[in-house]
Amino acid sequence: MKRAIILVLDSLGLGSSEDAHLYGDSGSDTLGHIIEECDSSNADNSERSGPLLIPNLIRWGLGEAAIASRNKPLPITRVEPQGAFGYAKEVSAGKDTPSGHWEICGLPVPFEWGTFPVIDNCFPASLLKDLMEQGQIEGTLANKHASGTQVIEEFGEEHIASGFPICYTSADSVFQIAAHEEHFGLERLYKLCRVAKKLVDPLEITRVIARPFTGNSKDGFERTANRKDLTTPPNDLTLLDHIQDANGQVVSVGKIGDIFSNQGVSYTVKAKNNMGLVDQLLSEMIKLKNGLIFVNLVDFDTKFGHRRDVAGYALALEQFDKRIPEIESGLDNDDLVLITADHGCDPTWPGNDHTREHVPVIFYGKSIKNNNLGKRDSFADMGQTIASHLGIKALNNGKACNLN
Protein backbone atom coordinates (compact mmCIF):
# COMPACT_ATOMS: atom_id res chain seq x y z
CA MET A 1 0.00 0.00 0.00
CA LYS A 2 1.22 3.51 -0.82
CA ARG A 3 1.01 6.47 1.56
CA ALA A 4 -1.35 9.44 1.60
CA ILE A 5 -1.51 12.51 3.82
CA ILE A 6 -4.63 14.62 4.33
CA LEU A 7 -4.11 18.12 5.74
CA VAL A 8 -7.40 19.75 6.73
CA LEU A 9 -6.82 23.47 7.15
CA ASP A 10 -9.86 23.67 9.36
CA SER A 11 -12.28 26.32 8.02
CA LEU A 12 -10.21 27.57 5.04
CA GLY A 13 -13.16 28.08 2.70
CA LEU A 14 -12.79 29.40 -0.87
CA GLY A 15 -15.99 31.37 -1.28
CA SER A 16 -19.70 30.83 -0.74
CA SER A 17 -21.30 27.88 -2.48
CA GLU A 18 -24.49 27.99 -4.55
CA ASP A 19 -26.67 27.11 -1.58
CA ALA A 20 -24.98 29.54 0.85
CA HIS A 21 -28.10 31.73 0.85
CA LEU A 22 -29.91 28.97 2.74
CA TYR A 23 -27.44 29.49 5.59
CA GLY A 24 -27.22 33.27 5.44
CA ASP A 25 -23.70 33.03 4.04
CA SER A 26 -23.96 34.42 0.49
CA GLY A 27 -20.80 36.45 -0.11
CA SER A 28 -18.64 34.74 2.51
CA ASP A 29 -15.12 33.93 1.36
CA THR A 30 -12.63 32.96 4.05
CA LEU A 31 -9.36 32.93 2.09
CA GLY A 32 -10.38 35.59 -0.43
CA HIS A 33 -11.38 38.10 2.23
CA ILE A 34 -8.22 37.44 4.25
CA ILE A 35 -6.10 38.11 1.16
CA GLU A 36 -8.02 41.31 0.42
CA GLU A 37 -7.80 42.54 4.02
CA CYS A 38 -4.06 41.89 4.08
CA ASP A 39 -3.59 43.68 0.75
CA SER A 40 -5.35 46.76 2.12
CA SER A 41 -3.30 46.63 5.36
CA ASN A 42 -6.41 45.91 7.42
CA ALA A 43 -4.84 42.73 8.80
CA ASP A 44 -1.70 44.22 10.30
CA ASN A 45 -0.70 43.59 13.89
CA SER A 46 2.48 43.49 15.94
CA GLU A 47 3.46 40.12 14.44
CA ARG A 48 2.67 40.59 10.74
CA SER A 49 1.85 43.26 8.20
CA GLY A 50 1.27 43.76 4.50
CA PRO A 51 0.09 41.31 1.81
CA LEU A 52 -0.50 37.68 2.73
CA LEU A 53 2.70 35.75 2.03
CA ILE A 54 1.95 32.09 1.33
CA PRO A 55 4.27 31.30 -1.62
CA ASN A 56 4.37 27.56 -1.05
CA LEU A 57 0.59 27.16 -0.89
CA ILE A 58 0.34 29.31 -4.02
CA ARG A 59 2.97 27.12 -5.68
CA TRP A 60 0.93 24.01 -4.85
CA GLY A 61 -2.14 25.57 -6.49
CA LEU A 62 -4.18 27.18 -3.70
CA GLY A 63 -4.26 30.59 -5.37
CA GLU A 64 -5.58 29.24 -8.67
CA ALA A 65 -8.19 27.18 -6.83
CA ALA A 66 -9.36 30.27 -4.92
CA ILE A 67 -9.61 32.38 -8.07
CA ALA A 68 -11.58 29.66 -9.87
CA SER A 69 -13.97 29.20 -6.95
CA ARG A 70 -14.78 32.90 -6.51
CA ASN A 71 -14.61 33.54 -10.28
CA LYS A 72 -12.87 36.89 -9.88
CA PRO A 73 -9.29 38.07 -9.38
CA LEU A 74 -7.31 38.09 -6.15
CA PRO A 75 -4.39 40.39 -5.30
CA ILE A 76 -1.78 37.62 -5.36
CA THR A 77 1.28 36.83 -7.44
CA ARG A 78 0.16 34.06 -9.78
CA VAL A 79 2.52 31.22 -10.64
CA GLU A 80 2.07 28.01 -12.57
CA PRO A 81 0.99 25.44 -9.95
CA GLN A 82 3.13 22.38 -9.29
CA GLY A 83 0.14 20.38 -8.04
CA ALA A 84 -3.36 19.44 -9.13
CA PHE A 85 -5.87 22.04 -7.99
CA GLY A 86 -9.60 22.61 -7.83
CA TYR A 87 -12.43 23.22 -5.40
CA ALA A 88 -15.38 21.21 -4.10
CA LYS A 89 -18.94 21.87 -2.99
CA GLU A 90 -20.52 20.06 -0.07
CA VAL A 91 -23.37 17.59 -0.49
CA SER A 92 -23.97 17.22 3.25
CA ALA A 93 -26.78 19.30 4.66
CA GLY A 94 -24.86 21.24 7.30
CA LYS A 95 -21.65 23.22 7.64
CA ASP A 96 -20.35 21.37 10.67
CA THR A 97 -17.04 19.64 11.32
CA PRO A 98 -18.14 15.96 11.35
CA SER A 99 -20.21 16.26 8.16
CA GLY A 100 -17.33 17.92 6.31
CA HIS A 101 -14.76 15.35 7.40
CA TRP A 102 -17.03 12.36 6.82
CA GLU A 103 -17.86 13.57 3.32
CA ILE A 104 -14.17 14.03 2.52
CA CYS A 105 -13.84 10.36 3.41
CA GLY A 106 -16.72 9.24 1.19
CA LEU A 107 -19.69 9.50 3.55
CA PRO A 108 -21.93 12.53 2.88
CA VAL A 109 -24.50 13.40 5.53
CA PRO A 110 -27.66 14.39 3.60
CA PHE A 111 -29.83 14.84 6.69
CA GLU A 112 -29.68 17.75 9.12
CA TRP A 113 -28.36 17.20 12.61
CA GLY A 114 -30.27 18.60 15.57
CA THR A 115 -29.38 22.08 16.82
CA PHE A 116 -30.48 24.34 19.65
CA PRO A 117 -32.54 27.52 19.04
CA VAL A 118 -30.69 30.85 18.92
CA ILE A 119 -32.21 32.25 22.10
CA ASP A 120 -31.14 32.76 25.68
CA ASN A 121 -31.83 29.68 27.81
CA CYS A 122 -31.57 27.64 24.61
CA PHE A 123 -31.31 24.22 26.25
CA PRO A 124 -34.43 22.28 27.29
CA ALA A 125 -34.98 22.51 31.02
CA SER A 126 -35.34 18.73 31.18
CA LEU A 127 -31.89 18.29 29.60
CA LEU A 128 -30.17 20.45 32.19
CA LYS A 129 -32.15 18.85 35.01
CA ASP A 130 -31.04 15.38 33.91
CA LEU A 131 -27.47 16.59 33.44
CA MET A 132 -27.38 17.92 36.98
CA GLU A 133 -28.89 14.76 38.48
CA GLN A 134 -26.87 12.21 36.50
CA GLY A 135 -23.70 14.31 36.38
CA GLN A 136 -23.85 15.09 40.09
CA ILE A 137 -23.58 18.85 39.77
CA GLU A 138 -25.57 21.53 41.56
CA GLY A 139 -26.18 23.85 38.62
CA THR A 140 -24.98 25.16 35.26
CA LEU A 141 -23.99 28.51 33.76
CA ALA A 142 -24.47 30.32 30.43
CA ASN A 143 -27.16 28.24 28.64
CA LYS A 144 -26.82 30.12 25.35
CA HIS A 145 -25.12 30.41 21.98
CA ALA A 146 -21.67 31.85 22.50
CA SER A 147 -18.06 32.03 21.41
CA GLY A 148 -15.95 29.69 23.51
CA THR A 149 -13.42 32.30 24.59
CA GLN A 150 -16.06 34.93 25.29
CA VAL A 151 -18.21 32.62 27.38
CA ILE A 152 -15.21 31.69 29.52
CA GLU A 153 -14.38 35.37 30.04
CA GLU A 154 -17.99 36.06 30.98
CA PHE A 155 -18.62 33.13 33.30
CA GLY A 156 -15.18 31.78 34.27
CA GLU A 157 -14.88 33.53 37.61
CA GLU A 158 -18.44 32.59 38.58
CA HIS A 159 -17.66 29.00 37.55
CA ILE A 160 -14.66 28.87 39.87
CA ALA A 161 -16.67 30.36 42.74
CA SER A 162 -19.79 28.19 42.28
CA GLY A 163 -18.41 24.98 40.78
CA PHE A 164 -21.13 25.12 38.11
CA PRO A 165 -19.90 24.10 34.63
CA ILE A 166 -20.40 26.46 31.69
CA CYS A 167 -22.79 24.99 29.09
CA TYR A 168 -23.13 26.64 25.68
CA THR A 169 -23.60 25.89 21.99
CA SER A 170 -23.24 27.37 18.49
CA ALA A 171 -25.01 27.11 15.14
CA ASP A 172 -23.48 23.65 14.81
CA SER A 173 -24.99 20.49 16.23
CA VAL A 174 -23.04 20.65 19.47
CA PHE A 175 -23.34 20.84 23.25
CA GLN A 176 -20.19 22.28 24.83
CA ILE A 177 -19.11 22.24 28.46
CA ALA A 178 -16.29 24.46 29.70
CA ALA A 179 -14.73 23.87 33.09
CA HIS A 180 -11.50 24.69 34.90
CA GLU A 181 -8.93 21.91 34.77
CA GLU A 182 -7.91 22.34 38.42
CA HIS A 183 -10.91 23.81 40.23
CA PHE A 184 -13.42 21.50 38.54
CA GLY A 185 -11.10 18.70 37.43
CA LEU A 186 -10.27 17.39 33.96
CA GLU A 187 -11.44 13.82 34.49
CA ARG A 188 -14.63 15.07 36.14
CA LEU A 189 -15.27 17.23 33.06
CA TYR A 190 -14.75 14.25 30.74
CA LYS A 191 -17.12 12.16 32.84
CA LEU A 192 -19.76 14.90 32.75
CA CYS A 193 -19.43 15.12 28.96
CA ARG A 194 -19.99 11.37 28.63
CA VAL A 195 -23.22 11.80 30.60
CA ALA A 196 -24.21 14.72 28.40
CA LYS A 197 -23.60 12.77 25.18
CA LYS A 198 -26.08 10.10 26.21
CA LEU A 199 -28.61 12.77 27.08
CA VAL A 200 -28.34 14.68 23.77
CA ASP A 201 -28.34 11.60 21.53
CA PRO A 202 -32.18 11.53 21.35
CA LEU A 203 -31.98 15.17 20.16
CA GLU A 204 -29.71 14.16 17.23
CA ILE A 205 -26.91 16.39 18.54
CA THR A 206 -23.69 15.28 16.85
CA ARG A 207 -21.06 16.28 19.36
CA VAL A 208 -20.44 17.05 23.00
CA ILE A 209 -17.16 18.92 23.47
CA ALA A 210 -15.18 19.19 26.70
CA ARG A 211 -13.56 22.64 26.82
CA PRO A 212 -11.07 22.73 29.72
CA PHE A 213 -9.34 25.97 30.64
CA THR A 214 -6.87 27.34 33.17
CA GLY A 215 -6.21 30.71 34.82
CA ASN A 216 -7.76 32.56 37.73
CA SER A 217 -9.34 35.66 36.24
CA LYS A 218 -11.06 36.68 33.02
CA ASP A 219 -7.88 38.41 31.87
CA GLY A 220 -5.88 35.21 32.29
CA PHE A 221 -8.24 32.39 31.30
CA GLU A 222 -6.84 30.18 28.55
CA ARG A 223 -8.27 27.05 26.92
CA THR A 224 -5.92 24.09 27.00
CA ALA A 225 -5.01 21.34 24.53
CA ASN A 226 -7.03 18.80 26.54
CA ARG A 227 -10.20 19.39 24.55
CA LYS A 228 -12.15 16.20 23.90
CA ASP A 229 -14.89 15.70 21.32
CA LEU A 230 -17.48 12.97 21.89
CA THR A 231 -18.95 12.42 18.43
CA THR A 232 -21.74 10.25 17.09
CA PRO A 233 -19.98 7.46 15.13
CA PRO A 234 -20.21 7.50 11.32
CA ASN A 235 -23.35 5.70 10.17
CA ASP A 236 -21.48 3.74 7.48
CA LEU A 237 -17.96 2.83 6.38
CA THR A 238 -15.52 5.58 5.41
CA LEU A 239 -12.14 5.76 3.71
CA LEU A 240 -10.57 5.07 7.10
CA ASP A 241 -12.38 1.75 7.46
CA HIS A 242 -11.42 0.70 3.93
CA ILE A 243 -7.75 1.41 4.64
CA GLN A 244 -7.81 -0.67 7.79
CA ASP A 245 -9.67 -3.48 5.99
CA ALA A 246 -6.77 -3.54 3.52
CA ASN A 247 -4.33 -3.91 6.46
CA GLY A 248 -3.20 -0.31 6.31
CA GLN A 249 -2.81 2.06 9.24
CA VAL A 250 -4.64 5.33 9.81
CA VAL A 251 -2.91 7.85 12.06
CA SER A 252 -4.97 10.68 13.54
CA VAL A 253 -3.00 13.89 14.12
CA GLY A 254 -5.09 16.23 16.25
CA LYS A 255 -8.85 15.82 16.64
CA ILE A 256 -9.46 13.47 13.68
CA GLY A 257 -9.98 10.48 15.99
CA ASP A 258 -12.62 12.40 17.94
CA ILE A 259 -14.42 13.47 14.75
CA PHE A 260 -14.76 9.84 13.62
CA SER A 261 -15.44 8.52 17.13
CA ASN A 262 -12.16 6.59 16.56
CA GLN A 263 -13.87 4.42 13.94
CA GLY A 264 -11.19 3.39 11.45
CA VAL A 265 -8.38 5.08 13.41
CA SER A 266 -5.30 3.07 14.37
CA TYR A 267 -3.89 5.58 16.88
CA THR A 268 -3.89 9.29 17.68
CA VAL A 269 -1.20 11.86 18.42
CA LYS A 270 -2.03 15.37 19.57
CA ALA A 271 -0.38 18.73 20.19
CA LYS A 272 -1.36 22.08 21.65
CA ASN A 273 -1.34 24.17 18.45
CA ASN A 274 -0.91 24.11 14.67
CA MET A 275 2.88 24.14 14.73
CA GLY A 276 2.92 21.32 17.24
CA LEU A 277 0.61 19.33 14.98
CA VAL A 278 2.95 19.90 12.03
CA ASP A 279 5.79 18.62 14.23
CA GLN A 280 3.74 15.50 14.94
CA LEU A 281 3.02 15.05 11.23
CA LEU A 282 6.73 15.17 10.40
CA SER A 283 7.44 12.64 13.14
CA GLU A 284 4.75 10.27 11.88
CA MET A 285 6.06 10.59 8.31
CA ILE A 286 9.31 9.07 9.52
CA LYS A 287 7.49 6.17 11.20
CA LEU A 288 4.64 5.35 8.81
CA LYS A 289 5.48 4.56 5.20
CA ASN A 290 2.07 3.27 4.02
CA GLY A 291 -1.55 4.01 4.79
CA LEU A 292 -2.93 7.41 5.80
CA ILE A 293 -1.76 10.23 8.04
CA PHE A 294 -4.82 12.44 8.66
CA VAL A 295 -4.22 15.90 10.14
CA ASN A 296 -6.61 18.60 11.33
CA LEU A 297 -5.05 22.03 11.90
CA VAL A 298 -7.72 23.32 14.23
CA ASP A 299 -6.28 26.72 15.17
CA PHE A 300 -7.43 28.31 11.91
CA ASP A 301 -11.01 27.68 13.00
CA THR A 302 -11.09 27.88 16.79
CA LYS A 303 -8.52 30.60 17.44
CA PHE A 304 -9.05 32.86 14.45
CA GLY A 305 -12.15 32.06 12.37
CA HIS A 306 -14.64 31.90 15.23
CA ARG A 307 -12.96 34.83 16.96
CA ARG A 308 -13.12 36.90 13.74
CA ASP A 309 -9.39 37.58 13.98
CA VAL A 310 -8.25 38.33 10.42
CA ALA A 311 -4.66 39.18 11.36
CA GLY A 312 -4.31 36.06 13.50
CA TYR A 313 -5.70 33.87 10.72
CA ALA A 314 -3.31 35.45 8.20
CA LEU A 315 -0.31 34.93 10.48
CA ALA A 316 -1.29 31.29 11.07
CA LEU A 317 -1.45 30.72 7.30
CA GLU A 318 1.97 32.28 6.85
CA GLN A 319 3.42 30.17 9.64
CA PHE A 320 2.02 26.99 8.12
CA ASP A 321 3.24 27.94 4.67
CA LYS A 322 6.81 28.17 5.96
CA ARG A 323 6.59 24.53 7.11
CA ILE A 324 5.62 23.15 3.69
CA PRO A 325 9.23 22.65 2.53
CA GLU A 326 9.76 20.41 5.57
CA ILE A 327 6.76 18.33 4.54
CA GLU A 328 8.05 18.15 0.97
CA SER A 329 11.46 16.97 2.12
CA GLY A 330 9.86 14.00 3.88
CA LEU A 331 7.86 12.80 0.89
CA ASP A 332 8.64 9.57 -0.93
CA ASN A 333 8.30 9.34 -4.71
CA ASP A 334 4.79 7.84 -4.68
CA ASP A 335 3.29 9.81 -1.77
CA LEU A 336 0.11 11.83 -2.26
CA VAL A 337 -0.72 14.90 -0.14
CA LEU A 338 -4.16 16.52 -0.04
CA ILE A 339 -4.77 20.02 1.32
CA THR A 340 -8.43 20.82 1.90
CA ALA A 341 -10.91 22.16 4.47
CA ASP A 342 -14.15 20.98 6.05
CA HIS A 343 -16.17 24.24 5.79
CA GLY A 344 -15.53 27.98 5.93
CA CYS A 345 -15.28 30.35 8.88
CA ASP A 346 -14.83 33.77 7.31
CA PRO A 347 -13.20 36.07 9.89
CA THR A 348 -14.73 39.11 8.16
CA TRP A 349 -18.27 37.69 8.35
CA PRO A 350 -20.87 38.73 10.97
CA GLY A 351 -21.31 36.45 13.96
CA ASN A 352 -19.06 33.69 15.20
CA ASP A 353 -20.17 30.63 13.25
CA HIS A 354 -18.98 28.59 10.28
CA THR A 355 -19.77 29.74 6.76
CA ARG A 356 -21.11 27.60 3.90
CA GLU A 357 -18.30 27.67 1.32
CA HIS A 358 -16.45 25.67 -1.27
CA VAL A 359 -13.24 24.06 -0.02
CA PRO A 360 -9.85 23.69 -1.70
CA VAL A 361 -8.87 20.46 -3.44
CA ILE A 362 -5.07 20.56 -3.71
CA PHE A 363 -3.18 17.36 -4.49
CA TYR A 364 0.61 17.42 -4.39
CA GLY A 365 3.31 14.81 -4.79
CA LYS A 366 6.55 14.19 -6.66
CA SER A 367 4.64 12.34 -9.38
CA ILE A 368 1.70 14.79 -9.55
CA LYS A 369 1.60 17.21 -12.46
CA ASN A 370 -0.04 20.61 -12.90
CA ASN A 371 -3.68 19.81 -13.52
CA ASN A 372 -6.83 21.92 -13.17
CA LEU A 373 -9.37 19.66 -11.47
CA GLY A 374 -12.14 22.25 -11.75
CA LYS A 375 -15.23 22.16 -9.59
CA ARG A 376 -15.92 18.88 -7.81
CA ASP A 377 -19.54 18.02 -7.06
CA SER A 378 -18.80 16.48 -3.66
CA PHE A 379 -16.08 16.48 -1.03
CA ALA A 380 -16.21 12.69 -1.50
CA ASP A 381 -14.21 13.04 -4.74
CA MET A 382 -11.17 13.62 -2.53
CA GLY A 383 -11.60 10.40 -0.58
CA GLN A 384 -12.24 8.45 -3.75
CA THR A 385 -9.01 9.83 -5.24
CA ILE A 386 -7.03 8.73 -2.21
CA ALA A 387 -8.65 5.28 -2.28
CA SER A 388 -7.58 4.95 -5.90
CA HIS A 389 -4.05 6.08 -5.06
CA LEU A 390 -3.76 3.55 -2.24
CA GLY A 391 -5.17 0.76 -4.39
CA ILE A 392 -7.97 -0.15 -2.00
CA LYS A 393 -11.69 -0.80 -2.40
CA ALA A 394 -13.60 2.06 -4.02
CA LEU A 395 -15.82 4.19 -1.78
CA ASN A 396 -19.60 4.26 -2.18
CA ASN A 397 -19.56 7.96 -3.07
CA GLY A 398 -17.37 10.29 -5.08
CA LYS A 399 -15.57 10.33 -8.40
CA ALA A 400 -11.80 10.06 -8.38
CA CYS A 401 -9.87 13.07 -9.69
CA ASN A 402 -7.59 12.57 -12.69
CA LEU A 403 -4.14 13.40 -11.37
CA ASN A 404 -2.21 12.46 -14.51
Side-chain angles (χ1 to χ4, degrees), residues 47-175:
E47 296 181 89
R48 73 157 314 277
S49 62
L52 184 69
L53 297 178
I54 50 171
N56 295 303
L57 287 167
I58 297 298
R59 176 169 54 84
W60 278 26
L62 181 62
E64 295 303 309
I67 291 170
S69 175
R70 72 193 324 242
N71 196 29
K72 59 182 179 179
L74 275 172
I76 59 173
T77 300
R78 299 180 71 173
V79 301
E80 184 175 340
Q82 295 178 358
F85 61 92
Y87 61 97
K89 68 176 184 180
E90 187 169 8
V91 173
S92 299
K95 51 181 179 177
D96 57 278
T97 295
S99 295
H101 282 77
W102 294 6
E103 185 170 330
I104 290 169
C105 291
L107 183 62
V109 182
F111 56 87
E112 292 191 20
W113 296 105
T115 57
F116 295 105
V118 187
I119 56 173
D120 288 338
N121 300 316
C122 60
F123 301 127
S126 58
L127 171 61
L128 295 181
K129 178 177 180 293
D130 290 343
L131 182 66
M132 287 187 285
E133 290 179 355
Q134 298 180 33
Q136 299 180 340
I137 54 175
E138 297 299 319
T140 65
L141 299 172
N143 190 5
K144 64 179 183 178
H145 285 242
S147 158
T149 52
Q150 293 173 350
V151 81
I152 290 170
E153 289 179 5
E154 183 178 356
F155 293 99
E157 292 180 354
E158 185 178 355
H159 160 71
I160 292 173
S162 67
F164 298 171
I166 303 167
C167 299
Y168 64 104
T169 188
S170 70
D172 288 346
S173 178
V174 65
F175 184 87

Side-chain angles (χ1 to χ4, degrees), residues 98 102 113 197 201 204-207 230-234 259-261:
W102 294 6
W113 296 105
K197 185 66 177 77
D201 277 346
E204 298 293 338
I205 300 299
T206 320
R207 286 185 296 168
L230 305 179
T231 307
T232 300
I259 293 168
F260 287 84
S261 195

